[in-house]
Every structure is written in structure tokens, then in C-alpha cells.
Amino acid sequence: MDTTHDFESERPLVVVANRLPIEYDEAEGWHPAPGGLVAALESVLRDREALWIGWSGRFEDPDSDAEQAPPPPTGTGSLKLDEVPLTHAEVEGYYEGCSNGAIWPLYHDAIVTPIYHRTQFQAYRRVNEKFARHVAEVAPPEAVVWVHDYQLQLVPRMLRQMRPDLRIGFFLHIPFPPVEIFSQLPWRRQILEGLLGSDLVGFQTKEAALNFLRLVQKYVALRPGGDRVVVDELSGSRTVRVEAFPIGIRAQDFAELAADPATIERAAQIRADLGDPELILLGVDRLDYTKGIDVRIRAVTELFQDEDLDPDSTVFVQVATPSRENVEEYQRIRDDVELLVSRANGDIGKLGTTPIHYLHQPMRRDELTAMYVAADVMLVTPLRDGMNLVCKEYVACRTEEDGALVLSEFTGAAHQMSDAWLVNPYDIDGVKRSILDAAQSAPQESARRMSALRHGVFEHDVERWASDFLNRLQGSL
């Protein structure tokens, strides 16, 4: 499949994100950082001349345990790295507090109640200004600056006031909520005006873009014209474009790794380690309350209890990578998930049989790919997700066009992947029916669906996402 997409510009490219693509620990030193945003951007930027600005994960406080960490490397090859130093207090207020205690749950349909603290928003504003000032100091003249995600929504306006010569784009990787939900945010106007500092604001779905346009009209008293908003400033009027750019993955990389003999051998070993079951169900997520991990565990458990699935011939593997473990809601979901797994195995399991395998640990890419190859049915059931790349990774790894994908309709990916078995994750009975339908589908039906899914994943890969966004930002499309 041809996945070549071009972005050419004489302007320098500067990427701004909360985190750099590396992090430090004493055992490994500086090494690649986890996370979907980092993985997506790194795969795009590895072949481009660019400067990546972000926080390294180390603290500049003198009392920090991480203070002895050496400065991060400045980059290799065409990708250069530039650190924005943060203190413990800044991270606690800006990231753990406002970003993940207020904005993250609000943007995910307030699945858990957002907590609004004025002092935390003040920290959020200060850190956004810190990022903006750093970019203003180091960005080359007339550079293209691409700001990413919910932690930095005030940066575009601040940066424009400091450096009007820059071409500024913003992309939100998570959902953007409807008017009825966003309206409760005490700082709604500041956020909207912050984003309108961009020349281009990008979202994962058309619905998210429309939500933003409606909110701009309601709270900023600007009347959008289609996908454009005209902003009046002292220097004159300026047009902001608002569009959807669904993110993809580097699909060819996953396909090649899945076809590697070492991966195929490891996938066979995984099946053997699980007792050579007839059916393997797989879930892979960050341990987050938005991911619906508890939903699918309950659904699979009931299928075992109802004898629709045989625990002697079926295994469910749930990988949950650690995430934000010092945040109370994340501690709670971990406790809930572990209790569900232990109860299910206690009620259903037999000597020598473990129907549900739960792995709470980071997973290397090669091991994860082997799991994708080994699994017969992939379960992706978030309660809300901006896109979700796990489902695309699984599809890219199904080089024989077999396997099945059960996918929440509340993911951005569902808009592109209608050939999956789509489910409402709040409907346990519906999830159960879809899991059975996917597991018991005829080989011809599975192949038809997987072929269509793979075509979409390769057609709309991460290179296309980046090129479409950057070309639109440059005004060349």
C-alpha cells in the first residue's frame, strides 16, 4: 500500500508538547518515553528537520530526588530537543491538578467529576506562559510552531502576542466536549481565547471541531463562518481555521514487525504459555478510568458464567500499563480492576486454568506486537476516547487479514472503522453479544471486515495526518 505523503516547507518546524520524547531513570539513563502522543509525533519527526520543546520529566527543585539526573540530550540527527524545566510545585498544580484533575475528566464527558481549583488554574496559566516564553526565545524567525494537547491550550494566544511572525497550529489529541459539558469550566473563555491564538486548530473528529465552533460563538461572541473564525486584533483581522485531522499510526512499521519470524515465533509461544486455547481475547490500555477496562472484564466474566464462553478453551488477556499512579482516581480504577479480575478467576477458574490474565506493567513494542498477532479478538471499549490507536495497531498487525475487532462507538476511531463490531460500552449485554459475534463469525466475514479495516489504517496513517495538518497550516491545501 502506498502511504507516502509529502510536507515541504522553507519554514523551520517547532513542535511543542508537555513532554519530550525521552525520560530519565537511574537504571536506564535517558530512554524513549511512553505515551501515544510521543509515539505518534516521534514516528513523524524522525525523518524531518524539527525542534521539539517540552518537559523532560526531571525537576529543577533542589530538594527533588531526580535533581541528580544529567541534562537531557539535545537530540540526534534532524530532530533536536529543548527542555522546559519545571518544579515539583508547577507539575503538581499544572499537570496533576488542573490538566488531569479538571480538564482531562471534563473533556472525557465528565466520566468522573472534574475538580476545579483556582490555584491550580493559576499554575496552569503560569506554566503555559513559561512554555510560550521559551518558544518565543528559541523559535527561528517565521517558524511553523505546532502546539499539542490539553496541557498547553493557553500557549497559542500567549505566543502570538510575543511572536506575531510565527505560524501557529494547535492539535488536541483527546475529545473536545459539547457545549453542555464544556460550559461548566470556570475558565472556559480563557481556554477558547487561548486556542484562537492559533492559525489552525485541529481535532480528532468533525464533532469535536463543531463543538469548538459552537462554544466560540456562545462565549467569545464571534460568529464562525463554516470552518473559519475571524478574530479582530489591534494589528487587524485574522482568520482561524478549525478542522478535523484524525490521527493514524505508522502502519507499515507494525505490519513489518508482525511479519518478522521472531514475532511469529513469540506469538506462538504466547499461545503455548496460555495453554494453547482455541480463543484468545485481548485488551491493551493505559490504566485509565476512561478506557472501559472494567466494562470488558465484567462482560467477559458474564460470558464465562453464562457458559457462552468455555474457560477451558478461552483466555482473556488484559494489559494495563501504569499511568498517573499518584492521582486518586487512577488508584481507584486499579483497585477496582484488580478486584474484578481476582473475583472472576476465583469464581470461574479451576486448578491449572486461569480464564483472565491481568498484566499491570509496561510492555515493549515487540512483545505487544506478538500479542496482537496471537490474539483472535481485540477488545477496545473506552467510555470516551479522542481516537484510540491500539485498535489501529492490532489491525495493522493482522497481515493474514484474520482476527476481529470489537470497538467502542465512543472512540474517534469508530468514525473511520465502521467494519469493526461497534458497541456501546455502557450496554453490557450489547458488549457481550458483540464479543460472541466477533468470536464466532465465519472466516469469510472476518476476512472481509479486516481487509476493509486494514485498507483504512494504511490509507490514513500518521504520515498523512501530519502532512495534512502541516500543509493546511501552511495554507498550501
Side-chain angles (χ1 to χ4, degrees):
M1 300 180 187
D2 182 12
T3 59
T4 301
H5 309 286
D6 295 324
F7 167 71
E8 295 183 0
S9 173
E10 295 179 358
R11 291 173 175 251
L13 176 60
V14 179
V15 169
V16 188
N18 174 59
R19 291 297 298 266
L20 290 173
I22 55 174
E23 65 181 12
Y24 182 84
D25 64 45
E26 294 183 0
E28 299 184 46
W30 289 104
H31 61 92
L37 184 153
V38 166
L41 284 177
E42 189 279 329
S43 67
V44 169
L45 298 176
R46 68 174 70 156
D47 300 323
R48 287 191 171 99
E49 293 268 349
L51 171 65
W52 185 323
I53 296 174
W55 178 51
S56 69
R58 67 177 191 145
F59 299 98
E60 65 173 353
D61 321 36
D63 60 342
S64 168
D65 292 338
E67 177 62 21
Q68 301 305 313
T74 57
T76 57
S78 59
L79 179 59
K80 305 303 181 184
L81 307 181
D82 193 353
E83 179 185 19
V84 177
L86 297 178
T87 67
H88 269 290
E90 286 172 332
V91 171
E92 183 178 357
Y94 141 81
Y95 181 73
E96 296 173 1
C98 187
S99 294
N100 292 321
I103 297 172
W104 175 272
L106 180 74
Y107 283 25
H108 287 84
D109 290 354
I111 293 170
V112 303
T113 303
I115 299 173
Y116 306 118
H117 288 302
R118 287 172 291 178
T119 55
Q120 291 178 350
F121 182 71
Q122 290 165 6
Y124 182 87
R125 185 174 58 240
R126 286 194 301 271
V127 172
N128 272 244
E129 185 174 4
K130 193 173 190 177
F131 268 82
R133 289 193 181 282
H134 192 93
V135 177
E137 290 171 1
V138 303
E142 298 188 343
V144 171
V145 178
W146 194 4
V147 184
H148 288 267
D149 227 5
Y150 64 104
Q151 304 96 340
L152 301 176
Q153 293 175 100
L154 303 181
V155 166
R157 186 179 190 220
M158 293 173 171
L159 183 58
R160 181 164 299 282
Q161 292 171 342
M162 300 173 192
R163 289 284 305 275
D165 63 301
L166 300 174
R167 192 79 171 163
I168 303 170
F170 180 91
F171 186 80
L172 184 70
H173 290 257
I174 68 175
F176 192 80
V179 173
E180 296 77 11
I181 293 178
F182 185 88
S183 294
Q184 69 178 260
L185 185 65
W187 316 288
R188 58 200 182 192
R189 186 181 177 96
Q190 293 98 311
I191 295 293
L192 295 172
E193 289 178 339
L195 295 175
L196 287 172
S198 310
D199 294 291
L200 174 65
V201 184
F203 298 93
Q204 298 278 22
T205 65
K206 292 180 180 178
E207 287 78 3
L210 288 172
N211 289 341
F212 177 76
L213 291 167
R214 293 186 187 107
L215 282 156
V216 165
Q217 182 171 351
K218 184 176 178 67
Y219 292 115
V220 191
L222 296 175
R223 185 177 297 277
D227 61 1
R228 292 169 171 81
V229 180
V230 177
V231 179
D232 292 323
E233 297 174 336
L234 293 177
S235 59
S237 63
R238 180 174 56 83
T239 299
V240 181
R241 303 190 68 162
V242 180
E243 298 184 40
F245 299 89
I247 196 170
I249 62 170
R250 201 147 178 153
Q252 191 61 40
D253 286 4
F254 279 95
E256 291 174 358
L257 184 55
D260 188 289
T263 304
I264 296 171
E265 181 180 353
R266 176 57 186 148
Q269 184 60 52
I270 288 171
R271 293 196 77 101
D273 291 344
L274 294 172
D276 287 317
E278 296 176 11
L279 177 67
I280 296 179
L281 311 174
L282 177 63
V284 174
D285 309 86
R286 281 189 311 105
L287 187 57
D288 190 292
Y289 53 79
T290 66
K291 298 299 184 180
I293 299 173
D294 51 341
V295 170
R296 77 185 69 127
I297 292 174
R298 289 190 179 96
V300 172
T301 299
E302 289 187 17
L303 288 171
F304 283 133
Q305 292 171 333
D306 298 342
E307 299 183 353
D308 291 316
L309 291 178
D310 182 357
D312 291 329
S313 59
T314 302
V315 171
F316 172 39
V317 179
Q318 175 62 57
V319 178
T321 58
S323 176
R324 303 168 188 164
E325 294 193 290
N326 55 340
V327 178
E328 183 178 351
E329 287 295 340
Y330 290 80
Q331 297 167 355
R332 184 176 295 115
I333 189 61
R334 176 178 179 177
D335 292 342
D336 290 347
V337 166
E338 291 177 353
L339 182 60
L340 286 170
V341 171
S342 61
R343 281 181 174 172
N345 284 330
D347 292 343
I348 303 163
K350 305 174 184 176
L351 288 175
T353 300
T354 305
I356 300 178
H357 290 250
Y358 174 67
L359 302 175
H360 178 247
Q361 56 194 249
M363 192 70 62
R364 295 193 323 271
R365 185 178 179 185
D366 56 346
E367 180 73 0
L368 189 58
T369 302
M371 287 193 169
Y372 290 148
V373 173
D376 302 293
V377 180
M378 188 79 206
L379 306 182
V380 182
T381 58
L383 304 175
R384 173 62 71 186
D385 212 336
M387 178 53 62
N388 192 284
L389 300 182
V390 164
C391 56
K392 296 187 176 187
E393 292 171 1
Y394 175 76
V395 166
C397 290
R398 306 307 297 185
T399 57
E400 300 297 321
E401 297 191 341
D402 56 356
L405 172 64
V406 176
L407 179 63
S408 166
E409 63 190 56
F410 299 131
T411 62
H415 296 269
Q416 298 175 297
M417 307 180 80
S418 58
D419 286 285
W421 276 266
L422 297 179
V423 298
N424 174 0
Y426 293 92
D427 176 11
I428 293 288
D429 288 335
V431 174
K432 290 165 61 179
R433 285 193 299 272
S434 293
I435 292 174
L436 283 179
D437 289 345
Q440 298 171 359
S441 63
Q444 300 91 331
E445 174 68 4
S446 294
R448 180 193 67 78
R449 288 176 178 252
M450 188 57 68
S451 176
L453 290 170
R454 284 176 58 77
H455 177 79
V457 166
F458 279 84
E459 178 75 15
H460 299 278
D461 66 354
V462 71
E463 283 286 331
R464 176 168 179 169
W465 165 74
S467 296
D468 285 354
F469 186 96
L470 291 171
N471 283 326
R472 184 71 83 190
L473 179 57
Q474 291 277 69
S476 60
L477 286 180

